[in-house]
Amino acid sequence: MAGFAVVMTIFMGAIIGVVGAAVLSSILFFAARRKLRVESRTDRRLLVTCVAAPFLGLAWLVIALLVHVQVSNRLAHQDCGLSGDPYVTLPNGYEVGSLNTYSGYLKAPGAKTDVPVAGPGYVRSIINLHLSGDVFTGTLFDFKTSSVQRFTFDTRTQAFQSALVGPSSWTSANDESQLGEESYWTIYAQYRHHWPNYVLLVMIIAGEGAIALWIWKAFSTKPFRSLEDQHNSFVP
């Protein structure tokens, strides 16, 4: 469901962006046409600029977002913030994330999560999570027994140990994993980098600012006058 929500958010954002660009393009077009009519001249470049600029701004926004995704994934080693499967990479190389935003997990570099709640290099269905030195500790929900288990995972040996805490339901376990003070989301937030967002912000401001400056210059350009017109303007 989280993946579907992300797709719908992007889809709605695209619709709003296209409609907004079309409205702004129309406003600029009529403003440019009024300016040309007042100055009794024709300038197709001004009209083309006014029509195209909002759509160029929208295209630049898409480009900035795509760059943001690559910067987040390849340089910051985390999701971009729009993913249905958010994750961060810890300094020890382990990844802490949440499949479909509901199933918390930790995994070693190169490991893949599977159906069992724990396997070679990974633990999933995590509720609470702590990291002390080289050892992860926390609780997880075991679907087979509908119970909560306390576990330890040693990153040096990838040894996993668990002990039964007591029966529970997925609803209560999920509430704890999403809202609890010791939720795995705490570690996720602690190690998440924010500098990719600043890169995105700078790209948006620089690109959209350049397009706005382009429009302003197009409107500010004085109409060309021939040498004869310039001479006649000085004749008493």
Side-chain angles (χ1 to χ4, degrees), residues 13 17 28 34 42 57 62 68 116 122 146 176 185-186 209 221 232:
L28 290 174
R34 181 176 180 276
T42 58
V62 173
H68 175 61
Y122 78 88
S146 294
E176 176 66 20
W185 287 107
T186 302
T221 300
N232 291 336

Side-chain angles (χ1 to χ4, degrees), residues 179-196:
L179 304 174
E181 293 182 357
E182 298 180 336
S183 165
Y184 65 89
W185 287 107
T186 302
I187 289 183
Y188 173 89
Q190 178 182 351
Y191 288 99
R192 183 166 182 81
H193 299 291
H194 296 289
W195 61 265

Side-chain angles (χ1 to χ4, degrees), residues 169-236:
S169 66
W170 165 242
T171 301
S172 60
N174 182 58
D175 289 343
E176 176 66 20
S177 67
Q178 299 298 318
L179 304 174
E181 293 182 357
E182 298 180 336
S183 165
Y184 65 89
W185 287 107
T186 302
I187 289 183
Y188 173 89
Q190 178 182 351
Y191 288 99
R192 183 166 182 81
H193 299 291
H194 296 289
W195 61 265
N197 295 332
Y198 302 140
V199 174
L200 174 63
L201 182 61
V202 169
M203 288 188 63
I204 292 176
I205 292 176
E208 303 299 337
I211 294 173
L213 181 62
W214 180 39
I215 297 174
W216 178 79
K217 284 187 175 181
F219 270 95
S220 301
T221 300
K222 295 181 179 180
F224 173 78
R225 295 192 302 171
S226 65
L227 292 177
E228 182 179 353
D229 291 338
Q230 296 179 38
H231 174 73
N232 291 336
S233 64
F234 288 102
V235 175

Side-chain angles (χ1 to χ4, degrees), residues 125-129 137-141 148-151 165:
S125 297
I126 294 175
I127 302 173
N128 297 325
L129 185 64
T137 59
T139 57
L140 59 82
F141 182 78
V148 172
Q149 298 181 16
R150 186 171 301 280
F151 74 90
V165 174

Side-chain angles (χ1 to χ4, degrees), residues 21-32:
V23 171
L24 182 57
S25 178
S26 299
I27 293 174
L28 290 174
F29 173 79
F30 287 113

